Amino acid sequence: MTSAAAPPLTFTTPDLSDAALAAVTARVAETAAEYDRTGALPWAGVRAAHEAGLLTAAVGTQFGGPGAGPRDIARILTALGEGDASVGLLAANTLLTHAAQAARPSWPAERYHDLLRQSQDGPALVNAIRAEPELGAPARGGLPRTTATRTADGWVLNGRKAYATGGSGLAYHVVWAVADEPDGDPDRPRVGHLVVPGDAPGITWVDTWDHLGLRASNTHDVVYEDVTIPADAFTEIPRGADGVYRDPAAMAGPGSFGHPALYLGVARAARAAFVTFARERVPTALGRAIAQTERIQSVAGEIDLQIVQAETLLHGALLRVESGDTSILPELSAVKVAIARSVIAATQAAVAALGNPGLSRHHPLERHLRDALCIRVHPPQDDAVLVASGRRILGV
């Protein structure tokens, strides 16, 4: 809900037809290579997504938004990822935040209304800031060193975070921290998230991002030094029945399929680049386009098989969840891993078949391969999923 004094906001339902999404993909793709080279935030692609209404598609109906569900979000992110994986990642974090707020409101009403107001004026990016240099991936366990110290009228946030996608372009941060409270239990402190405006005094960015893929995502380190936040900005993460905090990213759920969806778009972009090259490449010795050879046709078929498999897994799983089939819930993490393997297999097949051209910085396949490989870093990761699945079926 919005605060009583805040005027209501409304967001137009975006056109999610295949043709409309393809048009956005084309616009986003126009600047993808340049942003990949410079590492700058891909504002042109982000603005294209915003102007099409895609960045606010998941805003809940109770907040005046379209209330897009998981499958529509997946289609949006596949389209954006096909244009530029970095734009897709920035959009995924923003859309998944809106979807979570629609399902289980946790933000202070005034702050969420401000995010929505900014979203009407232009792109307003948001991300959960969780990883830390010493801790690594939160899904692997452990508590953050970042602290939120309780004061008479709010909180004071201190700490350093890593892999904070969006960098200084974020309108809001949702920061994972341990609560330091006068009446708290020092042996069992509360752990939660704090909603922090991106322009709050005391926030400093450290440009650490120099990555293989997603180079324009600005996934830098961020330092919080005595950042003051209102009292209602802290939301505790629920403890399990055993009193232990369970990281929400440790196992996949329906809402975590946004990231696989954007990488499916990367695989589709790799397929398109492969097709274009195969149709245009006419070796002198062959005298015809390599697309007419059986070998290249076979490779094209393998690429398509992997993409069809990934798409079917993604949307099939979400359809089962929509239908109320709870039996698939324990299997969603394995589905995520299977999608990742198909995305990488499709992209690698395209690159391998073309040889040196596929690895050249002058050809988009090289960028698509680098971006596709980044799907592995999103939790839950392969080894943790396989162990959990094995224990589940073995009953140990």
Side-chain angles (χ1 to χ4, degrees):
M1 299 182 295
T2 59
S3 62
L9 300 173
T10 57
F11 295 87
T12 302
T13 300
D15 182 353
L16 299 184
S17 66
D18 290 345
L21 290 176
V24 177
T25 296
R27 283 191 62 193
V28 171
E30 289 174 358
T31 55
E34 180 62 21
Y35 282 117
D36 178 75
R37 281 190 293 270
T38 66
L41 267 165
W43 282 119
V46 170
R47 283 192 291 270
H50 166 74
E51 290 166 7
L54 302 185
L55 295 184
T56 51
V59 173
T61 55
Q62 70 269 48
F63 302 111
R71 286 195 64 218
D72 280 339
I73 293 172
R75 292 181 63 241
I76 290 169
L77 293 175
T78 296
L80 295 177
E82 186 173 356
D84 183 340
S86 291
V87 173
L89 182 59
L90 296 166
N93 296 334
T94 299
L95 284 169
L96 296 178
T97 298
H98 286 306
Q101 178 69 3
R104 295 173 298 280
S106 61
W107 281 47
E110 183 178 350
R111 291 300 171 96
Y112 191 61
H113 183 81
D114 180 62
L115 175 64
L116 295 181
R117 181 193 56 76
Q118 291 188 51
S119 298
Q120 287 197 323
D121 296 337
L125 303 176
V126 60
N127 188 20
I129 310 298
R130 301 171 53 74
E132 296 185 352
E134 298 87 356
L135 179 64
R140 296 287 179 176
L143 295 178
R145 293 186 63 181
T146 301
T147 59
T149 303
R150 193 72 168 91
T151 64
D153 55 357
W155 303 90
V156 176
L157 178 67
N158 283 281
R160 177 166 179 158
K161 294 292 189 180
Y163 305 116
T165 296
S168 59
L170 293 174
Y172 273 93
H173 308 192
V174 182
V175 184
W176 188 47
V178 168
D180 176 13
E181 303 171 279
D183 56 350
D185 184 345
D187 297 322
R188 285 166 52 89
R190 293 197 301 153
V191 177
H193 293 101
L194 295 102
V195 176
V196 183
D199 60 356
I203 297 177
T204 304
W205 286 95
V206 184
D207 290 353
T208 53
W209 187 244
D210 188 13
H211 212 254
L212 175 75
L214 298 168
R215 293 186 58 81
S217 66
N218 279 231
T219 305
H220 297 300
D221 283 15
V222 59
V223 177
Y224 303 98
E225 186 174 3
D226 295 333
V227 179
T228 58
I229 308 161
D232 62 354
F234 180 86
T235 300
E236 183 180 5
I237 298 172
R239 296 178 188 264
D242 55 2
V244 176
Y245 287 105
R246 305 295 182 196
D247 190 278
M251 297 299 287
S256 64
F257 273 54
H259 292 119
L262 82 88
Y263 290 100
L264 173 58
V266 174
R268 288 172 55 170
R271 179 178 60 186
F274 177 84
V275 167
T276 297
F277 186 91
R279 288 173 173 171
E280 295 177 351
R281 172 65 170 159
V282 182
T284 303
L286 184 61
R288 56 196 172 110
I290 62 173
Q292 297 180 39
T293 66
E294 190 170 293
R295 174 178 175 272
I296 293 299
Q297 291 166 3
S298 176
V299 173
E302 175 63 25
I303 295 168
D304 197 53
L305 182 152
Q306 296 294 344
I307 292 174
V308 168
Q309 179 170 270
E311 289 178 336
T312 303
L313 284 168
L314 173 65
H315 291 281
L318 293 177
L319 279 170
R320 286 178 63 182
V321 171
E322 281 184 11
S323 72
D325 181 0
T326 58
S327 67
I328 195 175
L329 296 180
E331 302 167 358
L332 290 179
S333 293
V335 171
K336 183 266 180 184
V337 169
I339 293 170
R341 291 181 176 181
S342 288
V343 163
I344 292 171
T347 311
Q348 287 182 331
V351 171
L354 299 189
N356 279 330
L359 291 172
S360 169
R361 291 296 298 271
H362 300 291
H363 196 279
L365 265 177
E366 182 267 350
R367 170 167 50 89
H368 299 325
L369 176 61
R370 289 188 285 105
D371 288 340
L373 292 174
C374 294
I375 192 173
R376 289 174 168 154
V377 307
H378 296 283
Q381 293 161 340
D382 291 27
D383 60 324
V385 171
L386 295 178
V387 169
S389 295
R391 288 174 176 169
R392 174 172 54 84
I393 66 172
L394 291 170
V396 297

